[in-house]
Amino acid sequence: MHPTCLLKYLGQALASAGLTDASGEPLTMQPHDFRRIFITDAVMNGMPPHIAQLVAGHRVIDTTMGYLAVYPREVIEAHRAFIARRRVTRPGEEYRTPTDEEWDSFLGHFERRKLSIGTCDRAFSTPCTHEHACLRCAMLRPDPAERPRLVEIRDNLIDRIAEAKREGWLGEVEGLETSLAGAEDKLAQMDAATARTATAVDLGMPGFTQIAGRASDT
Ligand code: SF4
């Protein structure tokens, strides 16, 4: 929708609502005012200002604070005081600048999480506690692009189970069957992820409903 068109409809809505400003003049609004209203509502309802800053896409919190015309300074001051109080209760060590080695280790963690059929989602600085049995592990986020590789692994497991049964290696059958169940589960996760991204969701057009005697967005 063109901004001019939006402005026209906004003017018509305000005129028909009969709203006036503090001096009694007909109220005028710009589409940008909705950003102020949204941020104001969010902060007044408990969203921390630094999160509101990220939501609004402001590079510095001073821009978010520029909305002071519409929300009270005490909201920001109260949140800053909360952050300051919280910091004094935490060890100072948590707020120091990381060393180069720590930073490299942090970045390295994300590189080392890449696996042949997806990504390991375990938390930073935690070891693998599942002996790298990734197929059976809930921490593995399978990558749909690696489906052919996983199908190959699944088919190989089926062959190995048949071979183990044929040769009488019954001790191996149970473990291989657990891995096979894991492979089938990861394949299902991949297919579900593909189906989600391939499905367009029609959200329809916004409308208005009357709730408790006043109009509200739906
Ligand atoms: S077994 Fe799980 S935790 Fe360990 S590397 Fe594989 S996905 Fe990560």
Side-chain angles (χ1 to χ4, degrees), residues 97-142:
T97 306
T99 64
D100 288 346
E101 290 74 26
E102 286 168 335
W103 189 238
D104 287 344
S105 159
F106 179 69
L107 295 179
H109 166 77
F110 294 99
E111 283 167 15
R112 287 191 297 274
R113 291 190 322 166
K114 184 73 189 115
L115 303 166
S116 64
I117 52 170
T119 307
C120 169
D121 258 8
R122 72 179 189 271
F124 170 65
S125 200
T126 57
C128 169
T129 53
H130 305 116
E131 299 175 341
H132 297 277
C134 304
L135 266 186
R136 311 172 183 188
C137 179
M139 285 293 140
L140 172 67
R141 287 285 168 274

Side-chain angles (χ1 to χ4, degrees), residues 5-132:
C5 186
L6 202 59
L7 205 55
K8 184 178 140 198
Y9 288 144
L10 189 55
Q12 287 174 352
L14 286 169
S16 66
L19 296 173
T20 57
D21 63 18
S23 62
E25 293 297 312
L27 195 64
T28 58
M29 287 181 76
Q30 303 288 327
H32 188 261
D33 289 326
F34 288 103
R35 275 171 68 79
R36 289 174 172 273
I37 293 170
F38 169 73
I39 295 297
T40 302
D41 268 359
V43 172
M44 294 299 283
N45 283 287
M47 181 185 281
H50 68 285
I51 302 296
Q53 173 198 346
L54 292 176
V55 171
H58 294 150
R59 274 191 301 169
V60 291
I61 198 164
D62 285 352
T63 310
T64 316
M65 290 173 69
Y67 292 163
L68 275 178
V70 287
Y71 66 74
R73 173 176 291 276
E74 54 263 31
V75 173
I76 291 177
E77 296 305 335
H79 180 68
R80 286 186 163 168
F82 165 74
I83 295 288
R85 282 197 307 277
R86 188 164 162 270
R87 284 192 170 179
V88 295
T89 65
R90 304 297 311 164
E93 174 77 0
E94 287 184 3
Y95 293 96
R96 66 175 174 76
T97 306
T99 64
D100 288 346
E101 290 74 26
E102 286 168 335
W103 189 238
D104 287 344
S105 159
F106 179 69
L107 295 179
H109 166 77
F110 294 99
E111 283 167 15
R112 287 191 297 274
R113 291 190 322 166
K114 184 73 189 115
L115 303 166
S116 64
I117 52 170
T119 307
C120 169
D121 258 8
R122 72 179 189 271
F124 170 65
S125 200
T126 57
C128 169
T129 53
H130 305 116
E131 299 175 341
H132 297 277

